[in-house]
Amino acid sequence: MSTLVSDELWDAIAPRLPEHPTSPKGGRPRVGDRLCLNGIVFVLREGLRWQSLPVELGWGSGSTCHRRFAEWTAAGVWEDAHVALVTQLGRRGLLNLERAVVDSCSVRALRGGDHTGPNPTDRAKKGCKRHLITDADGLPLVARTGPANRRDEQWLPCLLWWLWVVLGYGRRRRPAALQGDRGYGFPGSIALVLAWGIRSLLAPRGSPHGSGLGRTRFVVERTHSWFGHYRRLLICYEVTGAHYQGFYQLAACALCADRLRSACQAAADWQPFAMAA
């Protein structure tokens, strides 16, 4: 049976899953956690309803996968796994912290909720906004979601705090600079970035177009497109903000795990040549 969960992703998530002792009353055997995770990733990638998950794939029913997703989201599994994956990438020298790039992207919400708001760029229809901070190569370091009617710079303190959490392995690390468009370029936001000991490359409010930032800021736009490969994220179907955030955090874990797997594969391919030399 094919799997959507790589070993790198599973190794980051498995130690953080809540334990479930076997019931002394017996009953139907519990579906394996890795099988359920495959079902969750399948829903995330294909944009299916939970009840449309094909049971013949052997990954458990949609109801089982949904319950497991809700349980793991409430336990903070995805956030902890994301931090663990970024930590591994950092220890392998795969993080480019010459600068970090911040940006946001709005999506439509169909079911409303506290995590949605009237989107000023979509005729005030209900929407959510994704806020990203990536490293200089586009690796997602922070992914947070919120209402579409909140301005970008209002999220900057929260994003910087999460960046501090994610890069907190060993001694505290921080990017040399933070780059962003004019949505973040308020004087208070620039002062906040400087207070964190980070050089500000936020475009000031009122600055003209053609600043040249697009030549280096494209990496975060590319990361937005990577998230778009997960079709469940293209429109917000979730009633609760925690579940929508959980899907985004899981997608960030998958992207980091793919980068780690590519690096491990490259090292394995290079090893025979190094031994021969």
Side-chain angles (χ1 to χ4, degrees):
M1 180 178 60
S2 62
T3 177
L4 298 177
V5 178
S6 64
D7 290 339
E8 290 77 11
L9 180 59
W10 174 246
D11 291 343
I13 291 177
R16 293 158 179 84
L17 298 179
E19 295 185 1
H20 287 273
T22 304
S23 174
K25 298 181 180 180
R28 184 177 180 178
R30 177 181 170 89
V31 179
D33 287 337
R34 187 162 185 172
L35 292 175
C36 282
L37 183 58
N38 271 281
I40 294 170
V41 173
F42 188 81
V43 169
L44 174 63
R45 287 186 56 178
E46 302 301 325
L48 300 177
R49 298 181 302 122
W50 288 105
Q51 297 305 321
S52 297
L53 183 66
V55 294
E56 58 270 17
L57 294 176
W59 295 337
S61 67
S63 297
T64 299
C65 291
H66 178 258
R67 286 195 299 268
R68 210 72 62 91
F69 172 75
E71 176 188 356
W72 295 344
T73 299
V77 170
W78 318 123
E79 285 85 354
D80 292 345
H82 185 209
V83 171
L85 286 163
V86 173
T87 299
Q88 291 188 55
L89 289 166
R91 287 173 176 167
R92 292 174 177 266
L94 299 175
L95 288 184
N96 186 348
L97 295 180
E98 293 181 0
R99 59 188 172 87
V101 191
V102 61
D103 194 29
S104 67
C105 177
S106 297
V107 299
R108 183 171 293 184
L110 295 184
R111 306 181 67 179
D114 294 339
H115 61 297
T116 69
N119 187 349
T121 64
D122 191 19
R123 296 170 293 173
K125 294 183 180 294
K126 294 178 181 178
C128 299
K129 186 179 286 188
R130 172 177 67 237
H131 302 267
L132 287 181
I133 293 183
T134 73
D135 75 346
D137 295 328
L139 189 77
L141 302 177
V142 179
R144 308 304 298 176
T145 59
N149 59 332
R150 287 193 62 186
R151 298 189 318 195
D152 290 345
E153 94 281 355
Q154 295 176 345
W155 275 89
L156 194 57
C158 172
L159 297 177
L160 289 174
W161 186 86
W162 275 103
L163 183 64
W164 183 79
V165 170
V166 170
L167 297 180
Y169 59 89
R171 61 183 180 85
R172 296 288 172 182
R173 299 186 63 188
R174 65 193 69 190
L178 180 66
Q179 191 173 28
D181 60 25
R182 288 169 295 178
Y184 301 92
F186 291 83
S189 300
I190 294 174
L192 178 64
V193 172
L194 296 175
W196 278 82
I198 302 173
R199 185 163 61 98
S200 175
L201 294 179
L202 302 178
R205 297 289 294 178
S207 59
H209 287 284
S211 60
L213 293 180
R215 298 176 183 175
T216 54
R217 207 174 57 83
F218 76 92
V219 293
V220 72
E221 303 290 350
R222 183 180 61 189
T223 307
H224 278 301
S225 71
W226 291 345
F227 277 97
H229 295 165
Y230 298 93
R231 300 182 65 182
R232 183 82 180 200
L233 304 179
L234 295 178
I235 296 177
C236 178
Y237 299 99
E238 314 308 319
V239 177
T240 64
H243 285 185
Y244 195 53
Q245 174 64 36
F247 270 130
Y248 266 109
Q249 207 74 55
L250 176 55
C253 289
L255 293 173
C256 291
D258 287 344
R259 179 73 61 87
L260 185 61
R261 181 179 57 182
S262 297
C264 293
Q265 185 62 48
D269 292 342
W270 176 254
Q271 187 174 7
F273 297 97
M275 295 177 61

